[in-house]
Amino acid sequence: MDKLRLLDIFLATCDAGSFAAAAKSCNTDPSTVSKAISRLEAELKLTLFQRSTRRLSITTAGQRYADTVRKMMQDLSACEHELKQLNDSPCGTLRISSAACYGHLYVLPLLQAFCQRYPAIKLALEINDLHVDIIDNDIDIALRTGFVKDSRLVARRLSPMDFLICASPQYLAARGTPRCADDFQHHSWIGFRIKQTQQLQPVFLPDHSGEYQPYELERSHITDDGEAMALMCDHGLGFAQLPHFLAKQGLQSGALVSLYPYYRPPQADNGVFAIYAKREYLPARVRVFIQFISAYLESAGESANHTWAENWPALIKFCR
């Protein structure tokens, strides 16, 4: 029998005045109550009740102990109620860590509407490309492209990550439009260096049937910043294979055009993921944020298995 159960029986005995009445209150039998009180007295090395054939009376030590236990149980109950309210209500500080490009382009634009809907939630927002331990760093939710397998975490895909080969209309007017992968050898290409590995992000180009294959080519320019990569492409420095969330503004404004239909890597960790600690009772502030960003993405043509890039018109199309 655990200590809390012992204390429940002890208080019930104090209130009821007999083992039999306490047993009825605790849905057990008198012998169990008697043994529980004896065990508690043995642990404390105190006599809590004076027993006689006629009555049960609490000792001075027992009364002092009962007062303390009752206050402790009331405080515990109040704390549990408060914590449950906090967990069930969208309130408190929501700690978000987001990849830099995704944070700037997708997360920041939705925060005003989110805070208007949930005014009791305060935000602590980190925007960087560091892959930190979200549990050790007390982060509620991380928004990342890809995920690290960790049994302590849940990785919920918000959308795939689709890639589009983009260039500015001015660049194409000056340098011409490549018609096949080999043509890119005669064009400027903007490469992306992955900060964590310092490796260049591989390039995938379509073959004659439109199937994407890894392709080796020289990068004329290199950056480790996704938004800089998109701007360099926008400014006519060459072609870039951009994730859909980086290409979106340029394509919608006409500053960029997409040469080919989208490319989606087949790996299971491809995509944008909401990552959070695995727990039985997810705090309401985390639940509502996931629901909110999912609805926001849905309105923008994105979901767990779909992005707007699937329907974006390309200059060159293939029969598949």
Side-chain angles (χ1 to χ4, degrees):
M1 188 180 294
D2 62 47
K3 189 63 172 283
L4 281 177
R5 178 63 173 163
L6 285 177
L7 295 178
D8 279 336
I9 291 175
F10 168 65
L11 290 180
T13 305
C14 292
D15 295 338
S18 72
F19 291 158
K24 187 175 181 181
S25 172
C26 295
N27 196 28
T28 187
D29 55 82
S31 65
T32 299
V33 174
S34 178
K35 290 176 183 177
I37 297 301
S38 296
R39 176 180 165 183
L40 192 57
E41 289 177 327
E43 286 182 5
L44 298 172
K45 295 182 173 55
L46 292 170
T47 300
L48 299 175
F49 294 98
Q50 295 291 353
R51 301 161 177 81
S52 71
T53 55
R54 293 186 176 181
R55 59 193 297 265
L56 188 72
S57 58
I58 192 166
T59 64
T60 301
Q63 185 60 58
R64 181 175 177 183
Y65 189 61
D67 292 341
T68 300
V69 169
R70 199 179 303 279
K71 183 178 184 307
M72 181 197 74
M73 298 293 270
Q74 289 170 346
D75 289 346
L76 179 62
S77 179
C79 178
E80 289 175 347
H81 178 74
E82 180 181 353
L83 291 175
K84 187 175 186 304
Q85 290 292 105
L86 287 173
N87 202 63
D88 292 345
S89 302
C91 62
T93 299
L94 177 65
R95 294 175 173 83
I96 305 169
S97 175
S98 175
C101 297
Y102 198 80
H104 291 150
L105 299 171
Y106 272 48
V107 179
L108 287 175
L110 64 81
L111 293 183
Q112 181 182 13
F114 177 76
C115 290
Q116 286 175 345
R117 182 175 298 184
Y118 301 105
I121 294 180
K122 298 178 180 179
L123 299 176
L125 177 64
E126 296 179 5
I127 294 183
N128 57 59
D129 290 321
L130 300 176
H131 285 263
V132 298
D133 188 311
I134 70 171
I135 294 177
D136 289 349
N137 288 274
D138 198 27
I139 294 168
D140 287 311
I141 186 165
L143 302 173
R144 290 283 177 260
T145 54
F147 66 92
V148 177
K149 291 181 180 178
D150 188 329
S151 60
R152 303 173 303 163
L153 304 176
V154 174
R156 173 173 170 173
R157 189 159 79 165
L158 298 175
S159 77
M161 187 159 63
D162 292 334
F163 289 84
L164 297 156
I165 298 172
C166 298
S168 69
Q170 294 83 356
Y171 178 89
L172 295 179
R175 300 286 300 273
T177 301
R179 291 292 164 181
C180 65
D182 288 342
D183 288 351
F184 281 98
Q185 300 290 357
H186 309 294
H187 285 268
S188 295
W189 190 271
I190 304 164
F192 181 74
R193 189 182 300 281
I194 302 168
K195 291 179 182 179
Q196 285 77 16
T197 65
Q198 290 300 300
Q199 300 296 311
L200 288 176
Q201 183 172 284
V203 173
F204 290 83
L205 296 174
D207 59 22
H208 66 280
S209 64
E211 297 298 323
Y212 276 89
Q213 309 293 341
Y215 199 84
E216 291 294 330
L217 51 77
E218 183 179 352
R219 278 74 157 182
S220 306
H221 313 287
I222 295 172
T223 179
D224 64 356
D225 183 275
E227 288 172 278
M229 183 183 183
L231 282 173
M232 291 166 74
C233 188
D234 186 332
H235 293 165
L237 294 183
F239 289 94
Q241 192 161 38
L242 298 173
H244 69 277
F245 51 83
L246 273 173
K248 187 174 185 179
Q249 288 185 358
L251 290 173
Q252 289 182 336
S253 68
L256 295 175
V257 294
S258 175
L259 256 70
Y260 302 107
Y262 74 100
Y263 165 65
R264 180 177 298 171
Q267 292 82 1
D269 63 350
N270 167 60
V272 180
F273 292 83
I275 303 169
Y276 49 92
K278 185 182 292 183
R279 59 183 77 176
E280 187 173 359
Y281 301 106
L282 192 65
R285 63 182 181 274
V286 179
R287 285 201 309 273
V288 297
F289 182 78
I290 294 172
Q291 292 166 0
F292 193 89
I293 194 171
S294 297
Y296 172 83
L297 291 172
E298 188 74 33
S299 69
E302 298 186 30
S303 64
N305 298 303
H306 169 78
T307 79
W308 54 266
E310 295 175 26
N311 301 314
W312 192 263
L315 290 182
I316 302 171
K317 296 183 180 180
F318 298 91
C319 296
R320 299 191 180 186

